[in-house]
Amino acid sequence: MANTRSTNGATDKQTSSKAPDRGAQDDDDRDGKDETVTDDRPRPMDVLRQARAQLAELTGMTAESVLSFAQSEDGWSLEVEVLELERVPDTMSLMASYEVELDPQGQLTGYRRVRRYERGRADTHRPGGR
């Protein structure tokens, strides 16, 4: 701590920048949550990125989008859309939907193609055109 002299001759105490500021607590502290609790589960966005990258590495195809995403006790389940065969015009390109299973840490444990279709064509057999 450093002492400084004010203009009236009295000594004021100032806190150094190393002292914690109790007035600016984190929102987690005010909510009663303990910051020291660690959770080894990955965040959903990290799982999505990992799944897309792992599927692309295994299949050699670009993962374009994630159609569905769910967490269970056994891990994660995703449906990922990939470009299987690029054609001109783009609406004639062949797309595929893959079911991807991941363990609780986000590591790919299995995948399978569930359907294949032209990019510009809706699937009339499934609700919502999916």
Side-chain angles (χ1 to χ4, degrees):
M1 285 202 204
N3 289 333
T4 58
R5 228 173 255 276
S6 68
T7 54
N8 65 5
T11 302
D12 294 329
K13 290 186 178 181
Q14 293 180 343
T15 59
S16 70
S17 62
K18 294 179 184 176
D21 182 9
R22 295 292 178 202
Q25 292 179 345
D26 291 338
D27 289 340
D28 288 344
D29 288 345
R30 279 182 262 155
D31 292 338
K33 296 178 184 172
D34 186 2
E35 287 185 45
T36 60
V37 174
T38 58
D39 191 359
D40 62 343
R41 291 179 298 174
R43 297 183 329 212
M45 287 307 297
D46 294 335
V47 171
L48 292 173
R49 287 184 193 103
Q50 274 187 292
R52 290 178 64 165
Q54 291 176 67
L55 184 64
E57 185 176 344
L58 287 170
T59 64
M61 295 178 281
T62 304
E64 292 207 348
S65 62
V66 176
L67 303 175
S68 66
F69 176 73
Q71 182 179 15
S72 68
E73 290 178 8
D74 299 331
W76 305 84
S77 177
L78 293 82
E79 188 174 349
V80 180
E81 183 177 55
V82 301
L83 174 62
E84 283 205 337
L85 181 61
E86 192 168 9
R87 291 187 177 160
V88 176
D90 190 47
T91 55
M92 296 303 293
S93 294
L94 288 179
M95 305 296 293
S97 175
Y98 282 81
E99 185 179 281
V100 180
E101 299 295 328
L102 299 110
D103 66 14
Q105 287 72 40
Q107 295 302 309
L108 195 139
T109 58
Y111 71 92
R112 67 182 184 95
R113 183 172 65 194
V114 291
R115 64 190 181 103
R116 194 174 190 198
Y117 51 95
E118 292 175 339
R119 184 189 294 270
R121 200 172 293 243
D123 187 354
T124 58
H125 293 67
R126 295 181 76 175
R130 290 187 9 202

